């Protein structure tokens, strides 16, 4: 089964990746298992990160598709963005490797997160798309938008929404999820 | 209680429990079959996950709708019909799940949204699987969407399996 996991730097997505590794790749890890358990060989893991394109500094010049920005600044920003993206997927890949999944592939897609993820799932022929969830309430979701909502309705493959863990919310405790 | 001890036993074995919601629609059978194909495919040997298939039976009163004169007479027939329909659903589900030796099958009365979320709590499931009718936004707003509700309110990972649309 080809599993696409959406990663960004949010705790929701870290949790989603950890959940997938725990439950899909190492389903029956008994407590007290001394050796490193082997991941299920029949699952393929692809980590996807969506990068927003730089709209505001780009402008079309002339007819056709040529797009020019303020050249050197554009290049610098784009390079920085690419570097950040590489770091995000690199970190995610490290998490997988530490758990014993060494065959994870990484993909960086450009575009608005929700469309880009659905498109990536389509292009890759994924069997499952996994997204984390910020756990927003209904009102916030209406205003801030929800990638998981959009993907749940538009993705061409089954979608898995991994909820953030219940807050360990003591009165003095820090809130682990953002609201 | 039997369910709590079985949930505890499953947790002790370290197997993840998943609840699959089924109703009479093709979409939900497709979701069940998809789940079986991808999570329960290893023939022979104990399956690596625990499966609980849950059907929500609407109450006769909610199915009839308006309470008016004569509604009371109709209720027993509606109730019998709903029961038959749930039995059909579970029988078909049992057929599909033949290879999973320790699957649980339940029919619970109530609104599908609450029944599924509550079943997740009861089985201490780590995953809930629902099909999706694939309604557009307007239909969803008017008819309500169980998959939408569950994906926001269930306390576990929710997987929504859709029948693929045939794109040209």
């Amino acid at each position: 089964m080809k599993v696409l996991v959406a990663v960004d730097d949010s705790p929701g997505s870290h949790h989603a990746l950890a959940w997938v590794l725990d439950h899909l790749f190492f389903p029956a890890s008994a407590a007290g298992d001394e050796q490193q358990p082997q991941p299920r060989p029949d699952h393929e893991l692809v980590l996807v990160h969506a990068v927003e394109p730089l709209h505001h500094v780009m402008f079309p010049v002339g007819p056709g598709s040529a797009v020019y920005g303020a050249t050197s600044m554009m290049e610098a920003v784009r390079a920085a963005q690419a570097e950040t993206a590489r770091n995000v997927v690199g970190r995610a890949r490290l998490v997988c490797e530490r758990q014993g999944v060494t065959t994870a592939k990484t993909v960086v897609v450009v575009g608005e997160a929700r469309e880009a993820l659905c498109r990536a799932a389509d292009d890759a022929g994924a069997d499952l798309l996994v997204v984390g969830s910020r756990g927003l309430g209904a009102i916030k979701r209406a205003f801030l938008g929800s990638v998981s909502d959009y993907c749940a309705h538009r993705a061409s493959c089954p979608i898995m929404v991994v909820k953030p863990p219940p807050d360990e919310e003591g009165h003095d405790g820090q809130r682990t999820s953002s609201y | 209680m039997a369910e709590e001890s079985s949930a505890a036993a499953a947790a002790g074995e370290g197997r993840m429990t998943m609840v699959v919601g089924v109703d009479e629609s093709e979409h939900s059978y497709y979701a069940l079959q998809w789940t079986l194909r991808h999570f329960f495919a290893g023939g022979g040997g104990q399956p690596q996950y625990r499966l609980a298939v849950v059907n929500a039976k609407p109450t006769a009163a909610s199915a009839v709708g308006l309470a008016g004169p004569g509604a009371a007479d109709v209720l027993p027939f509606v109730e019998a019909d709903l029961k038959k329909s749930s039995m059909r659903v579970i029988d078909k589900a049992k057929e599909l799940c033949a290879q999973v030796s320790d699957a649980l099958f339940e029919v619970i009365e109530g609104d599908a949204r609450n029944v599924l979320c509550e079943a997740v709590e009861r089985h201490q499931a780590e995953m809930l699987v629902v099909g999706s009718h694939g309604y557009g936004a307007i239909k969803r707003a008017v008819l309500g969407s169980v998959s939408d509700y569950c994906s926001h309110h269930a306390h576990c990972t929710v997987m929504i399996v859709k029948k693929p649309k045939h794109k040209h």
Side-chain angles (χ1 to χ4, degrees), chain A residues 61-141:
Chain A
V61 173
S65 53
V67 174
Y68 293 89
T71 47
S72 57
M73 189 186 80
M74 277 289 302
E75 287 310 309
V77 174
R78 232 182 279 139
Q81 216 183 33
E83 177 76 18
T84 313
R86 272 198 301 273
N87 287 337
V88 169
V89 287
R91 270 197 292 271
R93 199 155 195 282
L94 257 177
V95 168
C96 299
E97 281 174 12
R98 240 182 269 134
Q99 279 254 40
V101 178
T102 48
T103 50
K105 295 200 197 70
T106 59
V107 177
V108 176
V109 286
V110 177
E112 205 191 333
R114 38 196 212 169
E115 291 165 11
L117 286 176
C118 293
R119 224 183 324 125
D122 224 358
D123 292 342
D127 292 304
L128 182 63
L129 172 62
V130 182
V131 293
S133 160
R134 285 180 290 179
L136 297 179
I139 309 232
K140 275 200 170 170
R141 249 186 283 129

Side-chain angles (χ1 to χ4, degrees), chain B residues 90-164:
Chain B
I90 291 292
D91 284 341
K92 180 148 185 197
K94 280 187 179 158
E95 239 179 281
L96 294 172
C97 296
Q99 78 250 41
V100 185
S101 49
D102 56 354
L104 296 167
F105 299 88
E106 298 181 335
V107 176
I108 300 172
E109 188 162 304
D111 183 287
R113 292 173 270 217
N114 299 320
V115 162
L116 290 179
C117 292
E118 195 258 336
V120 162
E121 303 279 320
R122 208 162 13 94
H123 290 279
Q124 289 178 38
E126 277 111 330
M127 186 156 97
L128 169 64
V129 183
V130 289
S132 162
H133 288 270
Y135 290 151
I138 310 246
K139 264 194 173 172
R140 252 184 283 129
V142 173
L143 297 175
S145 167
V146 173
S147 56
D148 252 3
Y149 183 92
C150 290
S151 71
H152 296 124
H153 292 91
H155 293 144
C156 66
T157 297
V158 178
M159 183 161 76
I160 302 173
V161 181
K162 288 173 288 193
K163 269 190 103 158

Side-chain angles (χ1 to χ4, degrees), chain B residues 18 20 29-42 51 53 92-100 103 129 159:
Chain B
M18 56 171 85
V20 181
Y29 292 131
Y30 179 83
L32 179 57
Q33 284 171 308
W34 192 96
T35 305
L36 291 168
R37 215 179 328 138
H38 290 94
F39 290 94
F40 293 90
L51 177 65
V53 179
K92 180 148 185 197
K94 280 187 179 158
E95 239 179 281
L96 294 172
C97 296
Q99 78 250 41
V100 185
V129 183
M159 183 161 76

Side-chain angles (χ1 to χ4, degrees), chain A residues 2-65:
Chain A
K2 196 171 199 181
V3 182
L4 236 71
V5 179
V7 296
D8 58 13
D9 241 349
S10 69
S13 98
H14 293 156
H15 177 73
L17 180 57
W19 196 97
V20 166
L21 289 169
D22 263 340
H23 291 89
L24 265 52
F25 285 81
F26 301 97
S29 43
D33 196 356
E34 291 308 319
Q35 318 102 312
Q36 176 80 314
Q38 287 307 306
R40 282 184 60 152
D42 51 347
H43 289 335
E44 207 186 310
L45 181 60
V46 181
L47 307 168
V48 188
H49 177 59
V51 172
E52 299 266 339
L54 301 168
H55 289 302
H56 49 286
V57 280
M58 287 181 158
F59 49 91
V61 173
S65 53

